[in-house]
Amino acid sequence: MPVSGAAHTVQSGVKIVLLGGGGFRTPLTCTALQSIAERVSLSELVLHDVSLERLQRMRLVLDGLADRGEGRLPVRVTTDLDEAVDGADFVWCAIRVGGLEGRLIDEQVPVREGVVGQETTGPGGVCFALRSLPALLEIARVVERRARHAWFINFTNPVGLVVEALQPVLGSRVIGVCDTPSGLCSRVSRLLARPSSELWFDYFGLNHLGWLRAVVDESGDRLPELLADDAAVCQLHEAGLFGVERLRQLGMIPNEYLHYYEHAKSAVDAVRHGRGRADYLLAQQRAFYTAGFATPAEAAAAWRAAWRQRERSYMAEAMARGEAEVEAEVEVEPSPGYAAVAAELLEALARNTHRVLILNTANRGGLACLDAQAIVEVPCVVDGQGAAPVAVGDVPPAAESLMQTIKHVERLTIRAAAESSTAQAVEALAQHPLVASRTLAQRIFDAYRAEHASLRARFGVA
Ligand code: G6P
Ligand code: MN
């Protein structure tokens, strides 16, 4: 693995590029960057997208938000990738190859076969990666040519797999960000009535496949006491997903995405009787991106409303919560999500401050059960040199074996994409514990190929 060159300490005038800048979450990224802009001497934010229409829509929303006093950054939009990336200090990657239309197929095909249909977990994640990796690798090569020192902060799902695939090109300068670990940690710290900064979160895993094993303060591990406290533990979103008894039996809190393994059948049934996530989002986003707005204020208001709805309905399909139930929920201010984690990461990299964040980076001994290059999601110490994982040590055997299996699936997927190999793609699906059948894997891949023109072009017709 090529290790990145000397640390690039940013002197002045930081340039940041957001790839996929026409995406719906762009205003959240801008808000997160706004909060650190002065401290990191942000001089330019370039929004890049393959769609000028989507960029213009976001620009209108940003103008509307700025008019309401929600801040303004020096933002520029472009569809020219080379020019966007040129000389950047940070590249944030949030592209979605094939749009939500692509995600709909990724999710619906497995459900028809009785298998979990999810953007990252299961066949959906394999397919999303197979479709996206060629474009992502091309982007990485452009970054290598045009911005050799840039930190590449990846949000594109499946985050861990994508970082694993880009690492041979970008070395340790590619870092993956997800907000589910920090989201879980803040829920726990609220229940313990302690600020997160006063606690150590012993979290380990791969992206969307992790566990919170201990929460340590000056008196020791507070997790056992929290899990034993009926009133407190019931308030956790994870108690709803896994059941209190299961959390107690594990002695750990699983990442919410482990629900798709623990309750695969009910996750499939819920979508069969209701509506899948991509299906819901596609309708919502189409309405937002095609609406005619008279003013920036109108665009900003519509964006806010759609965002709230999106956040409130997050994972509703997996928990079989109907739309009426979601609507009836008490309104809470939605969280800024992974952009906030990425902003903390950016600040630590740019200012060489020491900060502990749970990130996706090469293992380097962090998890004893995985090799040094494997991308893992663990607490990392971040400074101007990058993100260094802490040593997690041994983990329970069931977690270890699931991580190893999924890492194997990720690597098979990367190989399948690199070689446009149907055999490898089917192998990746067959090895996945949610599929666990070669016949089924072949059927799922054939359906993906039949429905995704981009896969047909690369892998041929069945
Ligand atoms: C969480 C996950 C992300 C995911 C996001 C949005 O933050 O960690 O990986 O992209 O939710 O999910 P949605 O279903 O709304 O696209
Ligand atoms: Mn995530």
Side-chain angles (χ1 to χ4, degrees):
M1 177 188 74
V3 175
S4 73
H8 176 59
T9 310
V10 178
Q11 300 301 332
S12 68
V14 166
K15 173 180 176 180
I16 302 175
V17 185
L18 174 61
L19 306 176
F24 187 74
R25 283 197 164 72
T26 290
L28 301 174
T29 305
C30 292
T31 306
L33 286 176
Q34 184 78 39
S35 67
I36 57 161
E38 229 166 89
R39 292 199 298 276
V40 302
S41 314
L42 178 82
S43 62
E44 190 180 28
L45 172 62
V46 181
L47 305 182
H48 172 273
D49 205 283
V50 292
S51 159
L52 185 60
E53 290 71 34
R54 287 171 67 90
L55 282 171
Q56 281 163 343
R57 177 108 309 194
M58 276 305 132
R59 167 124 252 165
L60 196 66
V61 172
L62 291 174
D63 287 345
L65 294 172
D67 291 345
R68 286 173 37 158
E70 293 186 34
R72 180 184 285 280
L73 289 167
V75 178
R76 187 161 67 77
V77 304
T78 179
T79 55
D80 182 331
L81 180 65
D82 283 71
E83 184 257 327
V85 163
D86 199 43
D89 299 288
F90 294 91
V91 179
W92 287 24
C93 180
I95 67 165
R96 182 181 286 287
V97 174
L100 283 168
E101 289 81 0
R103 177 173 173 180
L104 185 65
I105 298 170
D106 294 349
E107 292 185 2
Q108 283 186 339
V109 162
V111 171
R112 286 206 296 266
E113 298 290 345
V115 175
V116 168
Q118 212 281 323
E119 182 195 15
T120 58
T121 304
V126 171
C127 189
F128 191 17
L130 289 175
R131 296 190 299 105
S132 311
L133 288 182
L136 286 159
L137 283 161
E138 186 45 40
I139 287 170
R141 286 189 279 267
V142 172
V143 171
E144 198 49 21
R145 277 201 311 274
R146 297 275 187 158
R148 280 200 49 240
H149 300 290
W151 293 104
F152 191 100
I153 301 180
N154 178 58
F155 303 142
T156 290
N157 272 328
V159 161
L161 194 163
V162 168
V163 174
E164 180 100 22
L166 299 188
Q167 184 180 223
V169 184
L170 297 169
S172 52
R173 282 178 295 127
V174 53
I175 300 171
V177 169
C178 174
D179 61 336
T180 57
S182 61
L184 169 55
C185 296
S186 22
R187 285 192 287 282
V188 166
S189 54
R190 265 198 303 277
L191 287 179
L192 292 172
R194 292 288 294 266
S196 294
S197 57
E198 292 177 8
L199 301 165
W200 176 265
F201 296 96
D202 178 14
Y203 183 95
F204 68 88
L206 307 183
N207 179 237
H208 290 188
L209 192 95
W211 295 265
L212 180 60
R213 181 172 58 175
V215 181
V216 182
D217 70 6
E218 56 291 333
S219 66
D221 181 8
R222 304 283 308 274
L223 197 53
E225 149 203 341
L226 177 68
L227 293 179
D229 179 343
D230 287 330
V233 73
C234 284
Q235 294 175 47
L236 275 175
H237 157 67
E238 287 73 11
L241 286 170
F242 300 100
V244 170
E245 278 323 305
R246 175 64 177 146
L247 300 185
R248 286 177 181 157
Q249 178 197 18
L250 271 171
M252 305 191 286
I253 306 179
N255 180 288
E256 58 200 342
Y257 281 81
L258 279 157
H259 172 80
Y260 296 107
Y261 292 93
E262 298 236 334
H263 300 288
K265 185 169 184 317
S266 50
V268 174
D269 290 346
V271 173
R272 277 186 161 158
H273 298 123
R275 203 171 177 192
R277 182 65 174 161
D279 191 10
Y280 171 84
L281 289 176
L282 189 57
Q284 190 215 43
Q285 301 276 298
R286 264 194 192 143
F288 168 76
Y289 277 96
T290 56
F293 298 126
T295 61
E298 212 180 285
W303 176 81
R304 265 193 163 274
W307 173 47
R308 276 169 192 273
Q309 227 180 24
R310 183 173 185 152
E311 292 299 297
R312 289 166 77 187
S313 59
Y314 175 66
M315 277 201 140
E317 90 296 342
M319 297 174 83
R321 282 158 66 229
E323 280 169 41
E325 228 176 307
V326 169
E327 281 308 311
E329 251 186 22
V330 184
E331 183 108 2
V332 284
E333 186 61 21
S335 91
Y338 39 81
V341 183
E344 284 189 63
L345 166 63
L346 190 154
E347 186 177 357
L349 291 168
R351 300 182 62 211
N352 191 27
T353 52
H354 289 70
R355 187 80 165 243
V356 177
L357 295 168
I358 299 171
L359 298 166
N360 290 266
T361 188
N363 184 27
R364 290 164 275 174
L367 275 164
C369 60
L370 292 167
D371 60 79
Q373 261 95 62
I375 300 299
V376 295
E377 192 169 71
V378 295
C380 295
V381 178
V382 188
D383 60 20
Q385 304 282 323
V390 304
V392 172
D394 291 326
V395 300
E400 180 174 312
S401 108
L402 187 53
M403 287 191 293
Q404 285 169 338
T405 303
I406 295 302
K407 185 50 71 185
H408 182 51
V409 170
E410 288 182 2
R411 288 175 167 167
L412 287 166
T413 305
I414 292 168
R415 212 172 130 192
E419 297 172 2
S420 297
S421 160
T422 296
Q424 292 292 329
V426 171
E427 182 67 12
L429 291 167
Q431 292 293 331
H432 200 293
L434 289 175
V435 180
S437 146
R438 197 156 297 276
T439 329
L440 201 49
Q442 186 70 55
R443 284 168 62 92
I444 290 173
F445 189 67
D446 287 345
Y448 276 147
R449 255 196 306 199
E451 295 189 37
H452 283 303
S454 67
L455 287 187
R456 250 187 342 270
R458 292 189 12 251
F459 291 83
V461 278

